[in-house]
Amino acid sequence: MVGGIFRESADRSEPLSEPGDHPTLREALVEAYPHYVASVLAQRGIDVDELTADAIVEGTGVLDGLLTTFERTPMVDQRSSPLELFREALRPVDRALELRGIDTPSGQGSGVPAWDRHQLSPGSSQVLGSVAHEAHLRWAVTKATAIAPLVNRPAVFLVSMGGDEEVVSALESAGFRPVSTIEDASLALIDDGVDGAGGLVRSALARNLTTVVYGEAIDDLRQLGLLALGVDRVVSRDDLVEQPSEVLPSLA
C-alpha cells in the first residue's frame, strides 16, 4: 500500500497545488518533494519499498524544518538557497537506497554533493514542477530586490559597545553597510570605549581605511592623540547617532 501511494505520485508531472494558487516557497517545495523523489526512482526502475517510503517521509519532514527556519531568516542573512536545502533533505533517501544495495549511477553529476551517491539532487527547480519552480522564482526576485540596495553601499567595519543598535541604524540611514570583518570594509568606525580600541585603530590605519573614532566623552587630549595617530575624524556618539551624514566622511 505504501509503495502504491508513491508509485501513483511518480506518475504525476506536477504537485497537487492548483495552477492559480500561490503557496509559500516552503509549502511548494515540501509538496513537490515526495513526487519528485518517486518520479526519479520510477525513471530508474527502483521500486518504493517500506524502507524507502519511510525515508521519503523523513526527508519531507527534514525539508519542512529547514525551510521553516529559512523563511524566518531575513533575506539578507540567508546563507543557503532553497534548492540547496532541498538537496540536503534528500540524504535520508540516499541512505535508504544505500542500505538496500541499489547500484549507484556511473559518473558524478554536475553540482551533485559528494554525499549524494545516488545523484538524487535536482539540477534546478524546473524539475520539481511548475508550482515549485514559480515559487522559487518569486523568492529569487524578492531576494534580489531586498539585496540590491545593499550591494553598492560602502562597507563599514563597526566596533561598538555591546552591539549598539542606534549606531547601526544611524549608519544604515546614512547609506552605509555595517560589517563585522575588517577585510571587506572601506571605512572603520570604532568606539573608543571598547577594549583594545587603540590596537583596532592601528589595524584599520595599517589597511589604509578611512578611520573614525567615536565615544561618549572623548577629551581634548585623547582627541589630539587619535588625530596624531592618523585617525580621520573623532566624533561624539550623540552627533554620530543624530546626524551621521554630517559627521561621517563621504566615500564617493
Side-chain angles (χ1 to χ4, degrees):
M1 179 61 179
V2 173
I5 292 173
F6 285 106
R7 276 194 292 273
E8 179 182 352
S9 69
D11 296 330
R12 300 177 59 90
S13 58
E14 305 295 344
L16 297 175
S17 297
E18 294 297 324
D21 291 346
H22 291 292
T24 66
L25 178 67
R26 178 181 60 81
E27 293 169 341
L29 293 184
V30 167
E31 186 179 27
Y33 181 97
H35 307 300
Y36 167 76
V37 175
S39 176
V40 170
L41 297 181
Q43 290 169 12
R44 298 182 186 178
I46 302 171
D47 67 297
V48 179
D49 65 357
E50 187 172 355
L51 177 64
T52 310
D54 287 345
I56 293 174
V57 172
E58 180 186 351
T60 303
V62 169
L63 180 61
D64 193 21
L66 290 173
L67 290 174
T68 296
T69 301
F70 182 78
E71 68 184 5
R72 291 174 181 169
T73 304
M75 284 195 160
V76 295
D77 296 326
Q78 292 171 352
R79 296 294 177 259
S80 300
S81 72
L83 205 56
E84 286 174 326
L85 299 180
F86 192 98
R87 292 168 181 150
E88 184 65 21
L90 290 166
R91 283 180 182 265
V93 181
D94 181 80
R95 203 160 48 238
L97 296 180
E98 194 69 14
L99 289 172
R100 290 177 58 185
I102 301 296
D103 291 337
T104 58
S106 59
Q108 181 75 4
S110 175
V112 175
W115 59 261
D116 188 2
R117 294 158 294 200
H118 292 272
Q119 299 187 27
L120 301 171
S121 299
S124 77
S125 61
Q126 288 180 299
V127 299
L128 305 180
S130 63
V131 174
H133 181 52
E134 289 167 9
H136 189 214
L137 290 179
R138 285 196 299 273
W139 166 83
V141 170
T142 304
K143 180 162 186 177
T145 302
I147 290 178
L150 303 177
V151 172
N152 295 321
R153 290 187 175 190
V156 177
F157 173 55
L158 173 64
V159 181
S160 61
M161 295 285 286
D164 195 325
E165 292 299 326
E166 285 189 322
V167 171
V168 171
S169 296
L171 279 174
E172 292 177 340
S173 70
F176 293 94
R177 175 168 53 95
V179 297
S180 58
T181 54
I182 197 169
E183 289 80 10
D184 300 326
S186 50
L187 182 148
L189 179 62
I190 299 168
D191 186 339
D192 194 47
V194 303
D195 290 338
L200 290 167
V201 167
R202 285 187 286 274
S203 293
L205 292 173
R207 290 176 174 270
N208 294 317
L209 296 184
T210 300
T211 304
V212 176
V213 175
Y214 75 97
E216 292 283 2
I218 301 177
D219 59 29
D220 291 344
L221 187 61
R222 176 60 174 161
Q223 181 176 12
L224 288 172
L226 288 168
L227 293 174
L229 275 178
V231 168
D232 292 88
R233 294 186 186 180
V234 180
V235 302
S236 72
R237 180 187 177 281
D238 287 345
D239 285 346
L240 175 62
V241 169
E242 293 171 9
Q243 46 186 357
S245 298
E246 299 296 323
V247 300
L248 291 174
S250 172
L251 301 180

